Amino acid sequence: MANDITKNRKAILVTPENCIGCRACQVACKSWNQLPGIKTKNNGTYQNPPDLASAAFNIIKFSEVPSQENPVRWLFLSRRCMHCEDAGCMAICPAPGALYRTAEGAVAFDHDKCISCKLCVNACPFDVPRFDEEGKVSKCNLCADRIGAEMQPSCVKTCPTGALKFGDRNELISAAKKEGFATIYGENDLGGLGTIYAFKDKPKLYGMIENPTIPSSVIFWHSYLKPLSLFGLGGVVAAAALHYLAIGPHKEEEEKKEEV
Amino acid sequence: MAEMIRKSSVDEIVNHWILAGSCILLMITGYAFLFHVESIGSVLGGFNTMKTVHNWLGVVFVLSLLYSMRHYLRDALEYDADDKQWFKVAGGYLSHKVKVPPMGKYNPGQKLYYLVILVFGIVIAISGFGIWFMKDNMTVMLISHLVHNIAFCVFVIAVPVHIYLGTLANPGTFKIMVSGTMPLSEAKKKHPKWIKSVGKV
Ligand code: HEM
Ligand code: HEM
Ligand code: SF4
Ligand code: SF4
Ligand code: SF4
C-alpha cells in the first residue's frame, strides 16, 4: 500500500495548544477553493459547520473537557484530511486518478474521474471524504495547486498564531520535538500522516483516534483477494493448457466412426 | 447425417448467451476496477460510464441467472451412485483409460458448477447492489465490498474452467450451446440415463 516516501514530503503541523479558535483557516480554505457557504443551525456550540462537508474541507472542533484550575477547558482542534502515507481511500478507490498522490505527498482528487461510488469514505480511518451534489468526492487536497507552486496552503497562510505550520515533514517533526511536545500524532501512524499534530496532553483528550487503522476487510481484500483474482485466472488458464497438452481432450472419434 | 437429439431448448440457448455475455463483461469491467486498467475504461468512454455499464450488466446477469433455474436447477440437485463414481474417476479427465460411469443429462461436475454459479451469482449480485445503493451505511458497504470480491475470485476460477470444458476439452460440446442438439449416438454413449428417461433407446 505504501508508495515511495518522497524525499520532499510536505506536511501540515497542527499545534492545537496555539489555536485560538478564530476559524480564519475555515474561511481561508473556502475562499481559496471557492466553496459555497453552508446553512447550519445553532446547536449550542461554536463548532460550525458541525462536521467536515463537501464545502468544508477543514473545521475547528470545539470540545469542553474537565479542568482542575478552571470550571472547564475549551479545546480547539483543526481537522482535515490526514494525507496518510497508507491511504485507505486510495487503496479502495476503483477509479484510476480519482484520488492521486502529488509530488509533495498530498492525497488530491480529480472531480471528473470520480465515479461516485463512495467506497473511499468507508476505507478512511478518519471519516474524511465528503461528496458534493453530484456525488463526487470532495476533501482537503493540501492545496495541491498552491504547494505545487511553492506557496503555503491557504489555511496555514492565514493562521495568525502558528497553530498551523507547513513545510518539510521531517523538519516540522524534529522542530516540534525540540520544543518539547510529548506526542507527535501521526509521526508513524499509517506509514506516517501528512497532517501531524503536536500535543502536550494525551491526543485522546482532543478526540483523536488512538491507533488509526484501515478497516481489516479492506486490508484483507487488498493483500489477498486482489492477487488471488489474478493468480486464480492465470492458474486456471495454465492448468487448462497443461491438461490439453498432457492428457488431451476427450476422444470420441473411434466410437463415432462405428456409428456413422 | 447422424440422427440428432435436442439437449437444449431455444430459450435455454438464448439465456445461456445472455448469462455468459453479461458475466464475461462484468468480469472484464470488474478487473478494470480492481487493477485500474485504463484501456478498458476508455473503450467504454471512461470509468464513469463503465460503472453504469457494470451496474446494469449486473441487473441483466442476475435476471438471466434466476431464469436459468428453470433449465438446470432440478437436475443440479439430484445425485446418484454413478455421480459418486464419476468423482472417483475424476470424470475421465485425468486419464482416458478409466471407465466413466453412465451419466444423466449432466455430469455431477456440471451440476455442481451450476450450483456454484447460482449461489455465488446471487451473492455477487446482492453485494453488488449493496455497494450500488447502500452508500451511506458503512457496515453494508464494507461487507459488500469484501463479499463482492470473494465471489469474484470464485468466478474467475470457475468460469474459465467451464469455458475450457465446454470447448477445447470436449470437442463437439460447444455445438450444443449453438444448435441445442447433439448426435443421438453420442448422447447414448455419454448420457445413457438421460436417453433412457426421454425414451429414445
Ligand atoms: C464464452 C464462453 C462459454 C462457452 C463456450 C460456454 C459453453 C457452454 C456449453 C457448451 C454448455 C452446454 C454443456 C452441455 O449441455 O453439456 C454450457 C452450459 C452452461 N453454461 Fe456455459 N459457456 C460459456 C460461458 C458461460 C458463463 C460465463 C456462464 C456463467 C456465468 C455459463 C454458465 C453455464 C451454465 C450454468 C450451463 C449449464 C450446464 C452446466 O451447469 O454446465 N457459461 N456452456
Ligand atoms: C459476475 C458478476 C460480477 C462480477 C464478476 C463483478 C466484479 C466486480 C469487481 C471486481 C469490482 C471491483 C471491486 C472493487 O474495486 O471494489 C466490482 C465493483 C462493483 N460491482 Fe461488480 N461484479 C459483478 C456483478 C455485479 C452486480 C450484479 C452488481 C450490481 C447489481 C455489481 C455492482 C458493482 C459495484 C457497484 C461495484 C463498485 C464499483 C462501482 O460502484 O462501480 N457487480 N464488481
Ligand atoms: S485521511 Fe482519509 S481521505 Fe485523507 S488520505 Fe487518509 S484515508 Fe484518505
Ligand atoms: S467516490 Fe470517487 S474517489 Fe471515492 S472511491 Fe469512489 S471513485 Fe474513488
Ligand atoms: S490545505 Fe488547503 S484545502 Fe486543505 S484545509 Fe487547508 S486550505 Fe483547505
Side-chain angles (χ1 to χ4, degrees):
Chain A
M1 242 174 249
N3 76 318
D4 313 317
I5 300 191
T6 40
K7 273 224 186 70
N8 65 336
R9 188 170 177 201
K10 300 284 196 291
I12 289 183
L13 173 73
V14 185
T15 313
E17 212 181 63
N18 295 343
C19 178
I20 54 171
C22 70
R23 298 188 301 202
C25 49
Q26 290 187 194
V27 178
C29 178
K30 266 197 199 288
S31 151
W32 178 258
N33 292 295
Q34 298 183 311
L35 301 171
I38 312 168
K39 254 213 172 109
T40 55
K41 280 199 203 102
N42 185 333
N43 52 3
T45 157
Y46 278 92
Q47 182 168 323
N48 189 46
D51 198 359
L52 296 177
S54 60
F57 295 172
N58 68 358
I59 57 160
I60 298 293
K61 260 175 75 174
F62 288 69
S63 44
E64 290 164 30
V65 299
S67 157
Q68 246 138 45
E69 304 91 64
N70 297 302
V72 78
R73 230 179 118 193
W74 215 13
L75 305 180
F76 314 121
L77 185 99
S78 172
R79 170 164 144 77
R80 65 174 59 55
C81 173
M82 300 295 218
H83 301 283
C84 318
E85 175 69 19
D86 288 340
C89 61
M90 286 184 73
I92 206 170
C93 176
L99 294 165
Y100 62 95
R101 183 81 58 182
T102 71
E104 299 81 13
V107 176
F109 65 94
D110 182 335
H111 178 273
D112 293 339
K113 289 192 173 150
C114 171
I115 62 172
S116 313
C117 68
K118 295 199 184 176
L119 280 167
C120 47
V121 67
N122 296 295
C124 168
F126 300 101
D127 183 31
V128 165
R130 293 293 183 269
F131 305 92
D132 62 17
E133 324 75 58
E134 292 171 63
K136 305 275 188 167
V137 70
S138 166
K139 66 170 195 64
C140 160
N141 60 2
L142 206 62
C143 284
D145 46 356
R146 292 177 61 93
I147 64 176
E150 312 261 310
M151 289 190 278
Q152 298 215 319
S154 185
C155 55
V156 175
K157 173 118 202 216
T158 209
C159 178
T161 65
L164 298 179
K165 286 199 194 93
F166 175 79
D168 180 89
R169 186 169 178 276
N170 294 332
E171 283 170 20
L172 287 173
I173 290 174
S174 39
K177 279 184 177 163
K178 249 183 235 143
E179 280 178 55
F181 286 96
T183 317
I184 308 298
Y185 185 94
E187 185 180 1
N188 300 312
D189 300 285
L190 297 159
L193 304 181
T195 303
I196 44 183
Y197 292 77
F199 287 114
K200 281 189 179 137
D201 299 286
K202 289 242 174 309
K204 212 178 152 190
L205 189 69
Y206 284 82
M208 303 297 290
I209 319 165
E210 283 175 289
N211 304 317
T213 47
I214 297 170
S216 49
S217 72
V218 178
I219 295 177
F220 176 78
W221 160 79
H222 192 274
S223 22
Y224 296 107
L225 292 180
K226 268 175 79 168
L228 180 62
S229 70
L230 270 192
F231 295 136
L233 178 68
V236 169
V237 171
L242 211 65
H243 177 267
Y244 193 75
L245 296 174
I247 298 169
H250 265 295
K251 294 193 190 75
E252 227 67 61
E253 280 81 33
E254 253 111 84
E255 290 115 306
K256 260 190 218 145
K257 261 182 222 141
E258 290 165 27
E259 315 254 347
V260 174
Chain B
M1 233 345 241
E3 195 189 339
M4 304 297 272
I5 179 166
R6 180 159 285 278
K7 194 176 181 206
S8 301
S9 59
V10 172
D11 74 309
E12 182 188 327
I13 298 169
V14 171
N15 190 59
H16 174 268
W17 290 116
I18 295 174
L19 185 70
S22 61
C23 183
I24 287 169
L25 286 171
L26 281 162
M27 286 169 61
I28 292 172
T29 49
Y31 270 121
F33 284 131
L34 275 179
F35 297 99
H36 289 184
V37 190
E38 305 228 28
S39 51
I40 297 174
S42 48
V43 170
L44 292 165
F47 272 64
N48 271 294
T49 351
M50 192 170 89
K51 174 189 161 59
T52 312
V53 169
H54 181 92
N55 291 169
W56 286 100
L57 275 172
V59 176
V60 173
F61 170 81
V62 71
L63 291 178
S64 170
L65 184 68
L66 294 176
Y67 186 71
S68 77
M69 293 201 299
R70 59 180 294 182
H71 301 132
Y72 311 115
L73 188 59
R74 201 182 325 141
D75 279 322
L77 292 173
E78 278 176 12
Y79 297 85
D80 60 17
D82 287 329
D83 287 338
K84 256 195 192 152
Q85 181 60 23
W86 185 91
F87 281 111
K88 289 212 179 106
V89 299
Y93 284 111
L94 297 184
S95 158
H96 296 311
K97 296 199 187 83
V98 297
K99 197 174 157 353
V100 179
M103 288 287 105
K105 191 172 181 185
Y106 297 103
N107 69 42
Q110 289 176 299
K111 294 192 275 195
L112 280 183
Y113 172 74
Y114 181 68
L115 293 181
V116 166
I117 294 298
L118 183 64
V119 169
F120 283 93
I122 291 170
V123 165
I124 208 167
I126 292 174
S127 57
F129 286 120
I131 308 173
W132 193 1
F133 295 113
M134 304 287 281
K135 290 179 180 165
D136 297 323
N137 184 321
M138 179 159 177
T139 317
V140 172
M141 278 294 263
L142 285 178
I143 293 177
S144 298
H145 179 260
L146 184 69
V147 167
H148 202 65
N149 283 273
I150 290 173
F152 182 62
C153 288
V154 173
F155 270 85
V156 302
I157 292 169
V159 167
V161 171
H162 167 74
I163 295 175
Y164 173 61
L165 294 178
T167 54
L168 289 175
N170 293 292
T173 311
F174 183 68
K175 285 196 213 114
I176 302 170
M177 266 306 149
V178 180
S179 65
T181 60
M182 68 188 293
L184 182 58
S185 55
E186 197 188 322
K188 277 180 180 163
K189 284 218 147 38
K190 281 189 173 168
H191 312 280
K193 287 196 284 186
W194 166 52
I195 298 300
K196 211 167 167 189
S197 72
V198 293
K200 287 267 184 178
V201 210

